[in-house]
Amino acid sequence: MTDTQTQPQHAETDDARSDLISRVRTILGRRTEGRAVALLSVVVVITAITEPIVFTSYEVTLGRIALIGLVALGLTAVILMGELDLAVASTLAVSGVIMASFESITIGILAALGTGLLIGVVNAFFVIVVGINSFIATLGMLFFLRGAAFVISGEAPVRLANVDAGIAFGRPLIGPLSPRMLIFIAAFVMLHIFLTRVRAGREFYAVGGNREAAHDAGIPVTRRVFTGFMISGFVASLAGVINTLERTAADPTAGSAVLLASFAAAIIGGVLLNGGRGSVFGTLLGASSLGLLQVALTLSGVQVDVQNIVIGSVLLLAVITDPSSLRAAAGSMRALVRSRSGP
Amino acid sequence: MTNDTSTGTVSAPKPAALEEKLEEQAFKLSAWMANQGIFIFTAALILFAAVFIDGFVSLPNITDVFNRAAPIGIVAAGMTFVVISGNYLDLSVVAQVATAGVVLIAVSNETSIPVAMLVAVVIALAYGLVNGVAVGVFKANAVIVTLSTTFIGLGLLRWATGGSIYFGPSDGAIRAFGATRIGPLPLAMILFVVVTLILSFVLTRTTFGFMVRSFGSNREATRLSGVSTPWVVIGAFTVTSLAAMLGGFVLAAFSNTAVSAMSDGYDFRALAAIIVGGTSVFGGRGSVLRTLLGVVFVSVLTNIMVLSGLGFGIQQMAIGLLIVLAVSVDALARKATGA
């Protein structure tokens, strides 16, 4: 008697449980940040055991995360649309040099940020109007701007005219948070709101997912691509301004190390290179794990060369463990096996 | 601002028919430039240099141009395979050239030249395999993959050498190869022409070359026709790696020294030569002989800038601009032919 009564109840809770599990699974399946979470956990655990100083000197760590993260945030906007902006590193260098060449710090900052926007417009023009693949167009810009940074600076670091402003900029503003950290948080929040709550930002996903369909649905694809490249150019020049202020000098060779780390941050954070998937939150996780990793390596006395090997390997792993890459690899393997056993 | 650019072409005040005709002619012009332009441009550039640049037409200068063109040319000839296969480029040639040069000098100082070459071949095959598997099997983006292998490779090289410079023996075979020349032609230049001819034969006359070209123009069709596409990509990257290794040998022999920073800028100089020559970055179209012409163009242009006393920064800007312009012409030409 009791059996027959409890049976359906059991089934009901089972149903509810499997329902919950399946719902959690769908939510998790929709998320793209898995690899970033995995890398972050591994890095946190290992550094907590071997190099706990990374967490006690959190100002350094947070600064590093903000440095990588800011450029990666701008990249996220472009990669979401299935494009790439390789010029960010040179944009950072050029805008820093331009800023330092002005006497007045306000005019310098405005000129630098304007340069970033302009570079974004030029990139987008070549990509969407002329129709060059963004990898090649921004690669050309990368070389062009690197040369421009050398020419403007006279092939030597430019000292900031107003050194006091730079020193003041490096001081913590609220609690332990330096202005750099606050700018990064503001940029993160703004971009997150833009991409999840604003219509224009939501359309970035549509443009990246299927450009033809987005165009047919009435989304102004050209304008969105321009917006994306302008965001990435602006954010990269912002990073250049912050760097120049903190170091009180602009280095024309700056940015090549940031390039690698920020790409790795965005890609490991789950921003799909083909576009349409990814989130700013994932980029933040990616930037955090790479920032922690870099600071931990530096503090344990690992040379820059070896750090480059580690970050390069992380980036290589990140692109080949992309879900679509793994699927492609499985398909290729099947094809290989079939061609072997075939006639 | 963005609004203007997106609608600017539509709202021109000309009659539609005339505008269409003009546009068509502009497209035709860019198609012609993409195909035949390099011949005219190279000839014009050399003529310009001969007339206006002091010291361009002199035996030492021409030998110098050849000496500098040879290693870049060998690298570019190999990289043409990756570009034609539709995988943009191989950025890691920078790391590969430097590694081959350092290995040739450093290892041959300890053992012998054949051993050093063998080590370099193994390293080149490893590069080709890693890049090729990541791009061909995992279908990862070639730019990102080779960017990361550049950092890994240069990191390993600098870590192993500590950034030190290696000198070859002053009476060794490496020095002899670098110094020998026939008339104004250094041995390296002859090697470059031979490599170009061999690679051109491979690309146009062999099954592998046909597969690379066919994969570049239509991946899906190539796969469906029963070609094992991962091997095609691995093969293209391996050809590039072996050429980059030869380029490293030549570069090291030229000065009889090797250092990890000696190949800075080889990635984009080689890319510029390939694209200016008329090989399409969209894949499928191009030839190694065109790359030879592109190398001449880029080398003469660089030489003119050096002779005119322009700095490294301006040179970089010019090559960057050249890449963007050449690809723009290519892109417009594709629109013209409707490909």
Side-chain angles (χ1 to χ4, degrees), chain A:
Chain A
M1 213 42 184
T2 50
D3 267 12
T4 45
Q5 264 181 346
T6 50
Q7 202 106 27
Q9 224 170 7
H10 246 301
E12 211 165 83
T13 49
D14 261 7
D15 258 9
R17 198 181 299 151
S18 68
D19 192 42
L20 187 71
I21 289 172
S22 76
R23 203 182 304 159
V24 167
R25 207 175 272 165
T26 348
I27 290 172
L28 285 181
R30 226 181 280 149
R31 304 310 312 178
T32 46
E33 294 90 354
R35 290 174 301 152
V37 172
L39 181 69
L40 187 59
S41 337
V42 170
V43 172
V44 164
V45 169
I46 292 177
T47 47
I49 294 166
T50 59
E51 221 43 69
I53 193 171
V54 172
F55 298 103
T56 45
S57 63
Y58 52 88
E59 283 140 354
V60 180
T61 314
L62 288 179
R64 172 59 63 164
I65 293 173
L67 175 72
I68 298 170
L70 195 56
V71 178
L73 279 183
L75 276 175
T76 306
V78 178
I79 302 178
L80 275 181
M81 288 186 293
E83 305 287 354
L84 198 64
D85 188 356
L86 285 160
V88 282
S90 299
T91 309
L92 192 153
V94 162
S95 49
V97 169
I98 285 181
M99 176 193 160
S101 343
F102 282 96
E103 277 296 317
S104 152
I105 208 154
T106 325
I107 297 176
I109 291 176
L110 288 178
L113 296 180
T115 311
L117 282 177
L118 184 68
I119 292 169
V121 169
V122 173
N123 280 334
F125 172 78
F126 280 115
V127 170
I128 197 85
V129 179
V130 180
I132 311 179
N133 186 297
S134 62
F135 294 90
I136 300 292
T138 56
L139 193 70
M141 284 298 280
L142 171 77
F143 300 135
F144 177 79
L145 294 171
R146 196 190 284 165
F150 272 107
V151 171
I152 298 169
S153 66
E155 310 200 359
V158 188
R159 288 194 65 79
L160 202 61
N162 189 345
V163 178
D164 296 336
I167 293 169
F169 185 82
R171 293 219 182 87
L173 208 61
I174 307 169
L177 298 176
S178 62
R180 168 198 281 279
M181 202 58 212
L182 291 173
I183 291 174
F184 172 62
I185 293 171
F188 169 75
V189 171
M190 275 162 64
L191 201 63
H192 182 74
I193 291 174
F194 178 68
L195 288 174
T196 53
R197 298 278 177 270
V198 179
R199 187 191 159 127
R202 298 286 310 155
E203 286 173 356
F204 276 35
Y205 286 91
V207 172
N210 187 337
R211 193 160 293 186
E212 287 286 305
H215 186 264
D216 291 344
I219 294 173
V221 172
T222 308
R223 216 186 300 164
R224 292 293 164 264
V225 173
F226 266 96
T227 317
F229 274 102
M230 282 166 77
I231 291 176
S232 123
F234 181 80
V235 168
S237 62
L238 192 62
V241 166
I242 297 175
N243 265 3
T244 310
L245 277 173
E246 282 197 344
R247 296 181 186 166
T248 67
D251 180 3
T253 61
S256 59
V258 173
L259 177 74
L260 195 70
S262 52
F263 272 115
I267 293 170
I268 207 143
V271 185
L272 202 63
L273 269 178
N274 299 333
R277 296 194 76 176
S279 70
V280 181
F281 186 63
T283 304
L284 178 68
L285 289 178
S288 307
S289 40
L290 283 164
L292 271 177
L293 187 63
Q294 272 194 344
V295 174
L297 289 174
T298 310
L299 288 179
S300 36
V302 174
Q303 299 170 35
V304 179
D305 303 327
V306 182
Q307 288 188 30
N308 279 343
I309 301 173
V310 174
I311 307 280
S313 312
V314 169
L315 180 57
L316 188 60
L317 269 180
V319 278
I320 64 174
T321 55
D322 198 286
S324 63
S325 295
L326 289 178
R327 225 175 300 133
S332 306
M333 283 305 160
R334 266 200 300 278
L336 277 183
V337 172
R338 213 180 302 141
S339 69
R340 281 280 158 71
S341 55

Side-chain angles (χ1 to χ4, degrees), chain B residues 62-63 66-67 177-178 180-191:
Chain B
I62 290 175
T63 311
F66 282 149
N67 263 327
F177 176 86
T180 310
R181 57 170 172 264
I182 303 163
L185 281 179
L187 220 50
M189 194 63 194
I190 294 167
L191 180 68

Side-chain angles (χ1 to χ4, degrees), chain B residues 163-247:
Chain B
S164 47
I165 304 178
Y166 293 87
F167 296 92
S170 54
D171 54 351
I174 300 172
R175 174 98 196 94
F177 176 86
T180 310
R181 57 170 172 264
I182 303 163
L185 281 179
L187 220 50
M189 194 63 194
I190 294 167
L191 180 68
F192 165 38
V193 174
V194 170
V195 167
T196 302
L197 291 177
I198 293 173
L199 288 181
S200 182
F201 178 81
V202 170
L203 190 66
T204 53
R205 297 270 183 276
T206 64
T207 320
F208 168 67
F210 175 74
M211 284 177 182
V212 167
R213 283 182 291 138
S214 127
F215 182 76
S217 34
N218 194 334
R219 291 174 185 216
E220 203 46 31
T222 311
R223 193 183 65 78
L224 289 175
S225 66
V227 174
S228 176
T229 52
W231 286 112
V232 175
V233 177
I234 294 171
F237 273 100
T238 307
V239 168
T240 304
S241 294
L242 289 173
M245 176 199 77
L246 268 185

Side-chain angles (χ1 to χ4, degrees), chain B residues 3-321:
Chain B
N3 223 343
D4 279 2
T5 2
S6 55
T7 57
T9 48
V10 184
S11 60
K14 283 176 203 151
L18 179 65
E19 193 191 323
E20 224 165 69
K21 204 175 168 193
L22 277 176
E23 208 163 78
E24 193 183 310
Q25 283 191 337
F27 275 148
K28 266 190 190 153
L29 183 69
S30 55
W32 179 83
M33 286 233 303
N35 286 327
Q36 314 298 338
I38 182 63
F39 300 102
I40 313 266
F41 288 143
T42 310
L45 191 71
I46 291 175
L47 201 67
F48 170 82
V51 175
F52 291 104
I53 305 293
D54 281 341
F56 179 77
V57 193
S58 66
L59 193 63
N61 185 55
I62 290 175
T63 311
D64 186 57
V65 171
F66 282 149
N67 263 327
R68 286 175 200 284
I72 293 180
I74 294 172
V75 174
M79 203 159 96
T80 309
F81 277 70
V82 168
V83 178
I84 291 185
S85 75
N87 285 309
Y88 312 125
L89 81 163
D90 183 353
L91 285 169
S92 65
V93 289
V94 175
Q96 296 179 33
V97 168
T99 307
V102 168
V103 163
L104 179 69
I105 301 232
V107 176
S108 69
N109 280 348
E110 299 294 321
T111 56
S112 67
I113 293 176
V115 175
M117 285 184 165
L118 197 68
V119 174
V121 167
V122 170
I123 293 174
L125 291 178
Y127 265 108
L129 196 67
V130 170
N131 286 333
V133 166
V135 176
V137 177
F138 287 90
K139 306 279 189 291
N141 184 289
V143 177
I144 302 288
V145 166
T146 56
L147 182 72
S148 47
T149 47
T150 308
F151 273 80
I152 297 171
L154 276 182
L156 282 172
L157 183 64
R158 287 195 191 129
W159 175 68
T161 64
S164 47
I165 304 178
Y166 293 87
F167 296 92
S170 54
D171 54 351
I174 300 172
R175 174 98 196 94
F177 176 86
T180 310
R181 57 170 172 264
I182 303 163
L185 281 179
L187 220 50
M189 194 63 194
I190 294 167
L191 180 68
F192 165 38
V193 174
V194 170
V195 167
T196 302
L197 291 177
I198 293 173
L199 288 181
S200 182
F201 178 81
V202 170
L203 190 66
T204 53
R205 297 270 183 276
T206 64
T207 320
F208 168 67
F210 175 74
M211 284 177 182
V212 167
R213 283 182 291 138
S214 127
F215 182 76
S217 34
N218 194 334
R219 291 174 185 216
E220 203 46 31
T222 311
R223 193 183 65 78
L224 289 175
S225 66
V227 174
S228 176
T229 52
W231 286 112
V232 175
V233 177
I234 294 171
F237 273 100
T238 307
V239 168
T240 304
S241 294
L242 289 173
M245 176 199 77
L246 268 185
F249 289 172
V250 169
L251 185 62
F254 171 51
S255 57
N256 203 22
T257 53
V259 63
S260 57
M262 69 181 182
S263 57
D264 277 1
Y266 264 53
D267 45 358
F268 64 92
R269 271 168 209 273
L271 179 71
I274 294 169
I275 297 176
V276 169
T279 295
S280 171
V281 280
F282 299 95
R285 211 153 40 81
S287 79
V288 183
L289 294 176
R290 279 180 170 277
T291 299
L292 174 73
L293 220 56
V295 170
V296 172
F297 184 87
V298 170
S299 304
V300 170
L301 185 68
T302 311
N303 185 248
I304 290 174
M305 289 192 285
V306 171
L307 288 179
S308 328
L310 296 177
F312 175 71
I314 303 246
Q315 291 181 32
Q316 248 192 346
M317 284 174 79
I319 305 264
L321 202 62

